[in-house]
Amino acid sequence: MAFLSYLINGMGLGSVYAIIALGYTMVYGIAKMLNFAHGDVIMIGAYTAFYCLTVFKFSTFTSILIAVLLCTVLGILIERFAYKPLRKASSLSVLITAIGVSYFLQNLAQILFGTNPKVFPELMRNSTFSLFDGQLTLSYKTLLTIIVCILIMILLTIFVNKTKTGKAMRACSQDKEAAQLMGINVDNTISITFALGSGLAAIAAVLLCMTYSTFTPTLGSMPGIKAFTAAVFGGIGSIPGAFVGGLLLGIIETLTKAYLSTQLSDAIVFMVLIIVLLIRPTGLLGKKVHEKV
Amino acid sequence: MALLEVNDINVYYGSIHAIKSVSFEVNEGEIISLIGANGAGKSTILKTISGLLRSNTGSIVFDGKDISQVPAHKIVYLGLAQCCEGRRIFQQMTVLENLEMGAYSQPDTTIKKNLEMVFERFPRLKERRRQIAGTLSGGEQQMLAMGRAMMSNPKILLLDEPSMGLSPILVDEIFDIIKTLNRDGTTILLVEQNAQKALKITDRGYVLETGRIVKSAKGKELLDDDDVKKAYLGG
């Protein structure tokens, strides 16, 4: 029964990774770049929600909504001013810029919000419920996180497969020139992708802070790197891959902490990634890219 | 007035002067061919017309409007569609989704009508509409690329090497389709290395050599031209 409890908690953690990983994977799919500032968008989302809740005393729903909107705008601005001018530059320049944006946001947050840790207010009474005559105890938070993640996955899958904008996103990720010839505005489509990923980052931020309530301006770094790992693990560029990768990573991490070692859990997580990439370089659900000759 | 007028365009790839003062025109209802060797600049000209590349000079007037500075994604709305070299279909999308993308510039109401029109012309696409486009055969992919371009109801269709990599029977089929499209009212600007086939269905042709137009005449005249015969028609 303990195993089942670890498994479900792992899925909860993995759901947060999955939501963050979606941002990495969608942006990679369309802009073919790794947006290393993505983790720091999460951090900005956390601070926004925090100030909305504590200083402005907004309701939980309003606070989350404002955080989502602000991160969406932030994502669009980052793309517009940091990455768009580099559309024709080498991928190395873009990568270095992304790392620069990441440090910029972290330092900006240190100036604006200070380096002292903040404590995120309790959004849900930490109530738990028991199943199987009290043998399995789960928290509502974990359950909520998993449900939110599944909902996001369903909505995103519908968006990408059924709507005109979603299909245009897929077209752009496959062939930008051909997409332009169809009348698709590639720049706008890339903006929409950044907006979506960053909005999701804000949701991830709130879910993250509900579980780990203390946070600092470097909040986004570790979940960011782990979610990036999850995206690569599942196959970067693939939306279902981000979901599967995120969940698996969360489960592996939690089980490692429970049965092997708390200190070594991150090392083991990254080792699993290396092994997966050795066996399947394109990730679990990654597509083989056929290079045109 | 010509439907498409290209006046004095010059295109550079870095320091390479790829297109040198090229001018030509396409009248409504015509099939015009640009022929020339590999690297002569045929595809570059088409990409410049559709806005993917830019000319430093001159103008490109389509349907009375200078489109030389119009962004590529807006040109299809004016009635100019291009089928790229190498087909460039969306490999991981279904046949139907590819066609829907072709009609991206069209209001929802016309998509259905255009779809029927394309399926009528290419029955095989209808059979395979749920299939992932990347799994189609080469000939089917070319049909999909052309069908996709036709989904925007273009006044003019720019075709870049439609016969590339196809078997002789399929090449004939593709050229038949081009003739039919033209007969039904679509003006065609064709770029081909298969000069023989192209010139046979062409009203007028232009011969391109290292970025310059060196000859222009009626299709039949070019077929009989000694220089053209020697250079492009195998004797």
Side-chain angles (χ1 to χ4, degrees), chain A residues 164 167 170 174-175 183-184, chain B residues 73 88 92 97 100 104:
Chain A
K164 195 170 172 178
K167 285 181 200 173
R170 284 162 59 212
Q174 289 172 38
D175 191 331
I184 297 166
Chain B
H73 67 267
R88 305 286 285 269
Q92 286 141 29
E97 284 173 332
E100 284 170 358
Y104 187 86

Side-chain angles (χ1 to χ4, degrees), chain A residues 161 164-165 167-168 170-172 174-175 177-186 189 287-288 292, chain B residues 47 50 52 72-73 76-77 82 84 88-93 97 100-106 108 148:
Chain A
N161 289 310
K164 195 170 172 178
T165 312
K167 285 181 200 173
R170 284 162 59 212
C172 283
Q174 289 172 38
D175 191 331
E177 271 195 1
Q180 272 177 295
L181 293 177
M182 305 295 112
I184 297 166
N185 185 335
V186 173
T189 312
K287 298 160 200 137
K288 265 216 189 84
K292 265 180 224 149
Chain B
K47 283 188 170 178
S50 58
L52 295 174
H73 67 267
V76 65
Y77 288 86
Q82 184 186 340
C84 285
R88 305 286 285 269
I89 53 167
F90 302 118
Q91 300 272 338
Q92 286 141 29
M93 297 173 95
E97 284 173 332
E100 284 170 358
M101 285 296 107
Y104 187 86
S105 58
Q106 302 298 304
D108 285 351
R148 185 178 68 175

